[in-house]
Amino acid sequence: MLQANDIHFCIRNMPIVDQASVSLAPGELTVILGPNGAGKSTLFKILSGEIPCKYGNVAYNGSPITGFSPKNLALVRAVMPQHSYLSFPFKALEVVELGLLSGGNSFRQDLVEEVMTETHTWHLKDKLYGNLSGGEKQRVQLARVLTQIWDKKPFPRYLLLDEPTSSMDIALQHHVLKIIHKIKKRNIGVLAILHDLNLAANYADKVILLKKGRILYQGAVKDVMTATNLEKIFEHPIQVFSGSEDSPIIIQSIPFIQNHLETKLA
Ligand code: ADP
Ligand code: MG
């Protein structure tokens, strides 16, 4: 379990994350949703260990994050940040190979090729990372973190993804969520910040709705992703059509041009 209790994070006395408690179970996809500036990335950075947690505590598999060396933390969790900058002219292949180093693996061409094939990045391997499109960069970064945790281990691990599909086309977004569905079965808990409500509703096991630094709702998709909760979080009218075994959940934001909206907003 990745467990965080009562996390507070302030900048100049302004709470950015306020009393957040989260538990991430191996084998599950937990999605964080919330408007721009809600504090999603800040909470994510505290959970990953990028920002030290001054108030509250974070523990991986029952051990406080403060007791992990960077090397041991990299064995238990892999992190794809919202923005990744590289100061060296690495090729895409070399970026993915960094995942092998972090995961404590010896050189494994077969593993890298398997993950790059799965993420549709093998054909990009000799291209300079800096020259790739936004969506290609995201796929290469995803390949890097998957490489870090691809091989099974006898303890639960965690994959943390901050907006991993934000620059991808629709088909690739679904492809990535399918990969996540597959990887979580290797005793891995996945935490993803997403903006697409439909992706979240149809692939997540648990959802966390964050607004102004506070978790307002968290739990199973059907309990949390209601029109009322989502309208409150995003301050925009939203419709939810609940799915069945054969049909997906469909969530629509309602455009302002619709006449009936005037009544709804009145
Ligand atoms: P989200 O990922 O939900 O869009 P962030 O966690 O990135 O939001 O940011 C939450 C809020 O905290 C924003 O208003 C952002 O401007 C502010 N913030 C985050 N990091 C800093 C920082 N280092 N200095 C000042 N303000 C920050
Ligand atoms: Mg963010």
Side-chain angles (χ1 to χ4, degrees), residues 14 126 184 201 208 227:
M14 273 285 293
D126 295 320
K184 74 182 188 182
I208 295 171

PDB file of all heavy atoms in Angstrom, residues 14 126 184 201 208 227:
ATOM      1  N   MET A  14      -0.245  30.028   2.174  1.00  0.00           N
ATOM      2  CA  MET A  14      -1.438  29.641   1.400  1.00  0.00           C
ATOM      3  C   MET A  14      -1.431  28.119   1.252  1.00  0.00           C
ATOM      4  O   MET A  14      -0.476  27.560   0.709  1.00  0.00           O
ATOM      5  CB  MET A  14      -1.364  30.251  -0.010  1.00  0.00           C
ATOM      6  CG  MET A  14      -1.921  31.642  -0.101  1.00  0.00           C
ATOM      7  SD  MET A  14      -3.717  31.608  -0.065  1.00  0.00           S
ATOM      8  CE  MET A  14      -4.081  30.805  -1.618  1.00  0.00           C
ATOM      9  N   ASP A 126      16.127   5.907 -32.556  1.00  0.00           N
ATOM     10  CA  ASP A 126      17.356   6.621 -32.912  1.00  0.00           C
ATOM     11  C   ASP A 126      17.151   8.128 -33.082  1.00  0.00           C
ATOM     12  O   ASP A 126      18.076   8.861 -33.426  1.00  0.00           O
ATOM     13  CB  ASP A 126      17.953   6.023 -34.191  1.00  0.00           C
ATOM     14  CG  ASP A 126      18.398   4.590 -33.935  1.00  0.00           C
ATOM     15  OD1 ASP A 126      18.959   4.339 -32.846  1.00  0.00           O
ATOM     16  OD2 ASP A 126      18.142   3.722 -34.790  1.00  0.00           O
ATOM     17  N   LYS A 184      -0.960  -3.041 -13.945  1.00  0.00           N
ATOM     18  CA  LYS A 184      -1.419  -3.034 -12.544  1.00  0.00           C
ATOM     19  C   LYS A 184      -1.590  -4.458 -12.020  1.00  0.00           C
ATOM     20  O   LYS A 184      -1.496  -4.696 -10.822  1.00  0.00           O
ATOM     21  CB  LYS A 184      -2.694  -2.196 -12.386  1.00  0.00           C
ATOM     22  CG  LYS A 184      -3.944  -2.833 -12.923  1.00  0.00           C
ATOM     23  CD  LYS A 184      -5.160  -1.926 -12.762  1.00  0.00           C
ATOM     24  CE  LYS A 184      -6.419  -2.698 -13.144  1.00  0.00           C
ATOM     25  NZ  LYS A 184      -7.645  -1.889 -13.063  1.00  0.00           N
ATOM     26  N   ALA A 201     -13.463   7.559 -15.873  1.00  0.00           N
ATOM     27  CA  ALA A 201     -14.670   6.807 -15.482  1.00  0.00           C
ATOM     28  C   ALA A 201     -14.610   5.355 -15.942  1.00  0.00           C
ATOM     29  O   ALA A 201     -15.115   4.467 -15.271  1.00  0.00           O
ATOM     30  CB  ALA A 201     -15.903   7.490 -16.048  1.00  0.00           C
ATOM     31  N   ILE A 208     -10.161  10.224  -7.109  1.00  0.00           N
ATOM     32  CA  ILE A 208     -10.008  11.267  -6.085  1.00  0.00           C
ATOM     33  C   ILE A 208     -10.362  12.595  -6.748  1.00  0.00           C
ATOM     34  O   ILE A 208      -9.790  12.946  -7.780  1.00  0.00           O
ATOM     35  CB  ILE A 208      -8.540  11.320  -5.585  1.00  0.00           C
ATOM     36  CG1 ILE A 208      -8.181  10.025  -4.858  1.00  0.00           C
ATOM     37  CG2 ILE A 208      -8.291  12.539  -4.702  1.00  0.00           C
ATOM     38  CD1 ILE A 208      -6.700   9.889  -4.522  1.00  0.00           C
ATOM     39  N   ALA A 227     -22.813  13.472 -11.577  1.00  0.00           N
ATOM     40  CA  ALA A 227     -22.908  14.807 -12.196  1.00  0.00           C
ATOM     41  C   ALA A 227     -22.811  15.876 -11.107  1.00  0.00           C
ATOM     42  O   ALA A 227     -22.115  16.884 -11.280  1.00  0.00           O
ATOM     43  CB  ALA A 227     -24.205  14.920 -12.976  1.00  0.00           C
TER      44      ALA A 227
END
